[in-house]
């Protein structure tokens, strides 16, 4: 017998897919990406309005988010052939470094100017480079975009999360040291605090590469596209589970998985596998972005405040100006230099995940600033609450405007092959 929660969950999944499908088609008529329609369905069904997709349902569907991000990462990896990256040369590396550090430095500097608190400024600055590759990839696939800007977007949104994790690891270690010194409990900073993000990145790459090698050995003997697809899905599921167990980056590991396939296997094999994944992903996009919308509590926008507004402006300026600087130094195509900054503004899951780390790991750190009954509130507690509240609110805005600006950039670059209103 199925429990009532299981029955409700199955029914809710059906409602989300059906309503999301029609909302996506409707929003396309307004020349907007269909994922905006998916998210609006989630917002309406979520706690902000009808509360049909409540928090218990969201938790039971949390695995869908990880699976969707995993397949997004694989699809990014399949587009990153070494040959294509060599053609773009040092320009892509320069863009990734410049936009990530541009956002980090500008947000840190501006927020320090407002707060006069290095710990707060560093943590917000460290979260700023994190992007939301799912939104960018969904828009690219919906528009069937092809061209140099499209390839650059795949590379940038794929690699900047990995670099962002490293930046966050170092910045969080320094912020922790600042709070501990303020409380008089610091004994210097542990080298392991700096080593941890590097270990996470290396382990993610190694696991993704090993899984790709095993998959390729087994898949070479297969002739049916369905067989290759089923085996590939199994490996992506397994890889995502391994990443969760070892606390690795599922985005980076699955991206490496895709890169290994496209750079070691015949083009026909890679194309067959990529085409099968592309047929599967639209369903994941409906569920993923509807659930993302359900997670958006619109009342959080009321807490945005000056700090959130400044963070959004500084992050956007850092990404756009940084990517333009990197493109200029790297001497890439003019259209990449002009438009890539608009395509990388989305921010969601990774940023919220990093803010949760701040909330949990900074709890109890620093001097006591207030008491509420028997509860002692430290500076670390205050910072954690400020970070997660602000990032949640700003992500709502970035997730709504990011896909729109990505489509605008692709349109201006004339890389949309088939208008999204006529796509299947």
């Amino acid at each position: 017998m199925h429990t009532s929660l299981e029955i409700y969950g199955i029914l809710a999944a059906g409602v989300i897919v059906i309503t999301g499908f029609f909302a996506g088609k409707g929003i396309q008529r307004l020349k907007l990406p269909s994922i905006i329609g998916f998210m609006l369905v989630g917002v309406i069904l979520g706690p902000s309005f009808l509360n049909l997709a409540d928090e218990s349902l969201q938790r039971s569907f949390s695995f869908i988010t990880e699976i969707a991000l995993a397949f997004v990462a694989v699809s990014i990896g399949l587009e990153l052939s070494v040959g294509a990256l060599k053609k773009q040369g040092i320009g892509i590396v320069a863009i990734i470094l410049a936009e990530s550090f541009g956002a980090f430095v500008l947000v840190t500097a501006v927020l320090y100017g407002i707060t006069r608190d290095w710990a707060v400024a560093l943590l917000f600055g460290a979260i700023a480079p994190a992007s939301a590759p799912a939104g960018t990839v969904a828009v690219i696939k919906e528009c069937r975009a092809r061209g140099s800007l499209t390839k650059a977007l795949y590379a940038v949104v794929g690699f900047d999360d990995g670099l962002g994790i490293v930046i966050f690891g170092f910045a969080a270690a320094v912020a922790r040291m600042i709070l501990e010194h303020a409380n008089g409990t610091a004994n210097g900073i542990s080298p392991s605090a700096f080593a941890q993000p590097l270990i996470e990145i290396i382990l993610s790459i190694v696991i993704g590469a090993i899984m790709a090698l095993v998959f390729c050995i087994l898949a070479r003997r297969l002739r049916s596209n369905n067989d290759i697809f089923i085996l590939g899905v199994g490996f992506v599921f397994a890889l995502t589970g391994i990443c969760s167990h070892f606390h690795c980056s599922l985005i980076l590991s699955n991206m490496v998985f895709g890169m290994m396939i496209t750079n070691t296997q015949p083009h026909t094999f890679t194309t067959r596998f990529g085409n099968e994944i592309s047929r599967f992903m639209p369903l994941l996009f409906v569920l993923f972005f509807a659930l993302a919308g359900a997670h958006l509590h619109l009342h959080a926008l009321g807490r945005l405040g000056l700090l959130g507004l400044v963070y959004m402006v500084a992050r956007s300026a850092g990404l756009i100006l940084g990517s333009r600087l990197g493109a200029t130094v790297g001497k890439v195509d003019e259209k990449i230099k002009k438009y890539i900054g608009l395509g990388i503004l989305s921010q969601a899951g990774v940023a919220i995940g990093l803010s949760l780390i701040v909330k949990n790991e900074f709890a109890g750190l620093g001097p006591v600033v207030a008491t509420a009954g028997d509860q002692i509130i430290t500076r670390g507690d205050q910072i954690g609450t400020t970070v997660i509240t602000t990032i949640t609110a700003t992500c709502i805005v970035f997730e709504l405007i990011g896909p729109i600006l990505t489509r605008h950039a692709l349109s201006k670059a004339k890389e949309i092959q088939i208008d999204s209103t006529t796509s299947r």
Side-chain angles (χ1 to χ4, degrees):
M1 293 290 292
H2 294 290
T3 65
S4 58
L5 181 59
E6 289 173 333
I7 295 173
Y8 178 66
I10 295 170
L11 176 60
V15 171
I16 288 172
V17 171
I18 294 169
T19 56
F21 171 78
F22 285 108
K25 290 296 183 184
I27 210 75
Q28 283 180 350
R29 296 183 182 276
L30 302 177
K31 300 291 185 180
L32 295 175
S34 60
I35 63 174
I36 300 296
F38 305 158
M39 292 184 68
L40 289 176
V41 166
V43 170
I44 293 170
L45 295 179
S48 295
F49 288 98
L50 300 180
N51 201 32
L52 297 178
D54 57 15
E55 291 188 3
S56 63
L57 183 70
Q58 292 172 29
R59 284 194 298 271
S60 66
F61 281 175
S62 61
F63 70 96
I64 292 176
T65 298
E66 294 189 347
I67 290 171
L69 285 175
F71 278 97
V72 165
V74 172
S75 68
I76 291 173
L78 290 173
E79 296 289 336
L80 300 179
S81 70
V82 173
L85 291 175
K86 281 183 177 178
K87 287 180 182 178
Q88 299 190 46
I90 195 66
I92 288 299
V93 177
I95 290 171
I96 294 169
L97 291 173
E99 56 95 5
S100 295
F101 283 103
F104 169 66
V105 171
L106 190 57
V107 170
T108 299
V110 172
L111 262 66
Y112 177 73
I114 292 176
T115 65
R116 295 295 170 182
D117 188 322
W118 276 116
V120 171
L122 282 168
L123 290 170
F124 273 105
I127 292 173
S131 62
T136 303
V137 172
V139 173
I140 289 173
K141 289 190 173 297
E142 179 180 314
C143 296
R144 302 180 193 176
R146 287 288 183 272
S148 57
L149 176 61
T150 301
K151 290 185 180 296
L153 283 172
Y154 272 122
V156 171
V157 299
F159 285 109
D160 69 354
D161 271 342
L163 180 57
I165 290 170
V166 174
I167 292 173
F168 177 81
F170 282 99
V174 174
R176 175 183 287 272
M177 181 183 67
I178 291 171
L179 288 177
E180 289 176 343
H181 272 292
N183 201 33
T185 60
N187 296 314
I189 191 162
S190 170
S192 63
F194 289 128
Q196 185 61 36
L198 292 177
I199 292 172
E200 179 179 332
I201 296 297
I202 293 170
L203 190 59
S204 300
I205 293 172
V206 170
I207 292 173
I210 291 174
M211 290 292 282
L213 178 63
V214 177
F215 168 73
C216 291
I217 292 173
L218 296 176
R220 281 177 192 157
R221 302 172 182 269
L222 303 177
R223 295 290 176 264
S224 166
N225 288 352
N226 285 338
D227 291 346
I228 293 173
F229 172 68
I230 291 170
L231 184 65
V233 168
F235 267 82
V236 173
F237 282 8
L239 177 55
T240 303
I242 292 171
C243 289
S244 296
H245 179 74
F246 288 104
H247 304 289
C248 298
S249 169
L250 72 87
I251 292 176
L252 186 57
S253 285
N254 281 284
M255 187 179 72
V256 169
F257 180 83
M259 282 189 69
M260 285 287 291
I261 294 172
T262 200
N263 286 287
T264 61
Q265 300 306 301
H267 180 69
T268 52
F269 177 89
T270 303
T271 301
R272 290 162 63 195
F273 183 51
N275 288 342
E276 290 298 317
I277 286 181
S278 294
R279 292 172 58 188
F280 177 59
M281 288 183 67
L283 174 61
L284 288 178
F285 283 143
V286 175
L287 289 168
F288 176 82
F289 287 104
L291 289 172
H295 277 86
L296 300 181
H297 295 263
L298 295 186
H299 61 77
L301 288 173
R303 308 176 203 159
L304 198 55
L306 177 63
L307 190 67
L309 292 173
V310 170
Y311 169 79
M312 287 194 299
V313 173
R315 176 179 181 265
S316 300
L319 291 175
I320 293 172
L321 297 176
S323 60
R324 192 175 183 86
L325 174 63
T328 302
V329 171
K331 298 178 180 179
V332 300
D333 291 352
E334 183 65 24
K335 64 180 180 180
I336 296 178
K337 182 166 69 174
K338 289 175 66 175
Y339 300 120
I340 193 166
L342 296 177
I344 57 176
L345 294 183
S346 291
Q347 187 174 50
V350 175
I352 293 174
L354 295 178
S355 67
L356 283 170
I357 290 175
V358 173
K359 181 93 166 65
N360 294 331
E361 295 192 359
F362 280 69
L365 291 181
V368 176
V369 295
T371 57
D374 295 333
Q375 184 181 8
I376 296 175
I377 301 173
T378 67
R379 181 58 183 148
D381 295 324
Q382 276 189 341
I383 290 174
T385 301
T386 300
V387 168
I388 195 167
T389 301
T390 305
I391 294 299
T392 300
T394 56
C395 280
I396 296 174
V397 179
F398 279 125
E399 274 297 86
L400 290 174
I401 67 172
I404 296 172
L405 292 176
T406 298
R407 190 186 189 284
H408 175 73
L410 292 170
S411 176
K412 285 291 186 181
K414 301 187 186 309
E415 295 193 1
I416 296 179
Q417 302 300 308
I418 300 177
D419 193 279
S420 65
T421 57
T422 64
S423 64
R424 290 177 294 178

